[in-house]
Amino acid sequence: MPVQDSVGRCNLPTEHEEPAKVGSSQCGFPGRHTGHRLVRNLPAVKLHITGAAMVATEAEFDKSKDKLKTLKNDPGNEVKLQIYALFKQEEARQKYVDLIETLVSAEVPTQCEATATGDVKSSFQTLNVTTENNITTILLNRPAKKNAISITMYEEIMEALEQAAKDDSTLTVMTGSGDYYCSGNDLTNFTDIGSEGVEQKSKNSGALLKRYVSHYIDFPKPLIAVINGPAVGVAVTALGLFDVVYATDKATFHAPFSELGQSPEGCSSYTFPKMMGTAKANEILLFNKKLTAAQACERGLVTEVFPDSTFQKEVWKRLLAYAKLPKNSLAFSKQLIRNVEKEKLHAVNGQECDRLVERWSSEECMNAIMGFFEKKSKL
């Protein structure tokens, strides 16, 4: 689960793919802090957001950052992560951007107008799930956060997939609201360590990711991704488990794992080399290469690319035609194809999650993440 800031910059976050602005992160979860021994005799540090902090000026923030550098004792990486996260959360310009994003998204029709009037399957906080014309659509619905995946969204996506697997629809489609498909992990997944500590948080995050990816591996019906904008981190790696992937020509695909001291997820260590060859997969998984939609299509990650101006119309026309095909025939054929390697995929998923738990608890990962936040705080 790479880090991404909640505005949606990246599983790393990204400025338009690299997050780092309010609450999402490209890295699934940070590792062990290195300053513990320096502060073991200091009182516990608790950070609170107060009304005063909400009106702090940029000059005051800069002054506080300078004061932080004067500390004689290292407060530890966990505390520093909280400080950077709070700074970003209180950044006025970002608050402005988020507000405008919310207002604009409320006025613009959703990406999935074809299903907007369909039967609402359940009430979700972070998703809009509808069924119409034999298609169940799972719409990632946090446009102000670039659809960054929070813990709640992880749980809700799994619930939505479970419901879709049992309903009467023929196809299941996943897409995003706003200008992003998904910007990766929400930064709060990364900074909200709580009383459980880093190592236990890492184990819990690993268990969550394993369950999440398993839902894609076991999904019994045709599962189609409609990539309406940039995708980052786990939103990219999980695509190898979809049956068809359609993308707008404005979409990009980025999985910056090694940049954040992490390792592949979503079975991508197996599916990517299989679909595009080891060398080309390594460019993405080892060396953080960001792909355009055309490049992703050339490598087999994307099935077909459409001009952004006609993307929704062309894709949904095709999906509506697919949904008229015999439902059981499609499901049984999908299961025959998937069952050939389902056991392998589950094994790979387990191995990837075990490695990520170790990575998230490592000093190397923590240092890489701290470097990322420090760089972003200077922008």
Side-chain angles (χ1 to χ4, degrees):
M1 304 154 76
V3 181
Q4 179 71 56
D5 80 302
S6 57
V7 175
R9 286 181 198 178
C10 152
N11 225 233
L12 199 246
T14 162
E15 204 166 352
H16 264 298
E17 288 178 346
E18 292 180 347
K21 287 214 164 189
V22 178
S24 76
S25 73
Q26 288 180 348
C27 176
F29 176 72
R32 179 189 312 116
H33 66 75
T34 60
H36 178 69
R37 288 174 298 190
L38 294 175
V39 297
R40 58 186 176 186
N41 294 322
L42 296 178
V45 177
K46 294 184 178 180
L47 302 179
H48 301 278
I49 300 177
T50 65
M54 295 299 289
V55 297
T57 66
E58 184 173 353
E60 289 173 323
F61 275 126
D62 290 338
K63 186 175 181 180
S64 294
K65 289 166 62 180
D66 291 336
K67 287 183 178 179
L68 178 62
K69 298 176 182 179
T70 67
L71 293 178
K72 295 180 180 179
N73 293 319
D74 187 343
N77 284 332
E78 289 186 26
V79 173
K80 287 191 285 187
L81 276 174
Q82 294 178 61
I83 293 171
Y84 287 127
L86 287 174
F87 176 79
K88 284 300 177 184
Q89 289 168 5
E90 299 308 324
E91 190 173 35
R93 284 172 295 179
Q94 190 56 57
K95 290 289 186 179
Y96 175 85
V97 171
D98 286 348
L99 176 58
I100 299 305
E101 288 274 6
T102 301
L103 294 173
V104 171
S105 63
E107 294 184 351
V108 178
T110 64
Q111 300 279 345
C112 307
E113 290 184 327
T115 63
T117 60
D119 175 42
V120 177
K121 305 297 291 184
S122 183
S123 177
F124 294 98
Q125 297 179 42
T126 66
L127 308 175
N128 183 20
V129 182
T130 57
T131 296
E132 187 177 30
N133 297 319
N134 297 322
I135 301 174
T136 292
T137 301
I138 300 174
L139 179 72
L140 307 182
N141 197 29
R142 299 182 75 207
K145 303 297 183 184
K146 307 297 184 187
N147 298 324
I149 308 179
S150 62
I151 298 300
T152 297
M153 184 182 275
Y154 270 113
E155 295 290 353
E156 290 191 341
I157 291 174
M158 287 188 280
E159 181 181 348
L161 287 171
E162 290 170 5
Q163 290 182 10
K166 299 174 183 177
D167 67 21
D168 293 328
S169 64
T170 301
L171 308 174
T172 297
V173 173
M174 188 172 293
T175 190
S177 61
D179 58 353
Y180 262 65
Y181 171 66
C182 177
S183 61
N185 284 287
D186 190 292
L187 183 61
T188 58
N189 301 347
F190 175 73
T191 58
D192 185 15
I193 296 173
S195 60
E196 59 190 348
V198 172
E199 292 189 8
Q200 187 58 49
K201 176 69 173 182
S202 297
K203 292 179 181 179
N204 293 343
S205 297
L208 174 65
L209 179 61
K210 184 176 180 180
R211 285 196 298 119
Y212 179 74
V213 174
S214 292
H215 277 69
Y216 291 93
I217 296 173
D218 293 331
F219 195 73
K221 301 177 182 179
L223 182 61
I224 300 174
V226 176
I227 311 299
N228 57 290
V232 183
V234 70
V236 175
T237 55
L239 292 178
L241 300 174
F242 283 72
D243 300 296
V244 172
V245 178
Y246 293 136
T248 168
D249 58 8
K250 290 186 176 181
T252 56
F253 303 83
H254 193 203
F257 297 115
S258 61
E259 189 173 337
L260 292 165
Q262 298 182 57
S263 53
E265 66 197 354
C267 293
S268 59
S269 62
Y270 172 71
T271 59
F272 279 28
K274 180 181 177 182
M275 69 175 65
M276 61 185 74
T278 302
K280 290 188 179 297
N282 286 344
E283 281 192 308
I284 301 169
L285 299 177
L286 301 184
F287 304 117
N288 312 298
K289 182 178 178 64
K290 184 182 351 180
L291 302 180
T292 64
Q295 291 172 328
C297 189
E298 291 172 359
R299 298 186 183 210
L301 182 62
V302 169
T303 308
E304 189 171 348
V305 178
F306 299 82
D308 189 68
S309 59
T310 60
F311 176 59
Q312 296 294 336
K313 180 179 179 180
E314 292 188 51
V315 167
W316 283 99
K317 179 180 179 180
R318 190 171 300 188
L319 294 178
L320 289 170
Y322 293 164
K324 293 178 181 178
L325 295 171
K327 177 175 65 176
N328 290 335
S329 176
L330 289 177
F332 290 145
S333 297
K334 153 75 181 274
Q335 292 169 36
L336 284 171
I337 296 170
R338 177 53 54 86
N339 286 342
V340 172
E341 56 183 7
K342 181 179 286 189
E343 184 177 347
K344 174 67 174 180
L345 291 170
H346 279 299
V348 170
N349 183 30
Q351 292 167 1
E352 289 180 343
C353 291
D354 287 344
R355 175 57 63 194
L356 278 169
V357 169
E358 179 275 322
R359 288 281 78 213
W360 293 330
S361 300
S362 70
E363 181 176 338
E364 182 181 61
C365 180
M366 175 56 75
N367 289 338
I369 294 168
M370 289 301 300
F372 168 78
F373 281 116
E374 290 174 351
K375 180 176 68 174
K376 287 297 179 182
S377 69
K378 296 176 181 177
L379 295 180

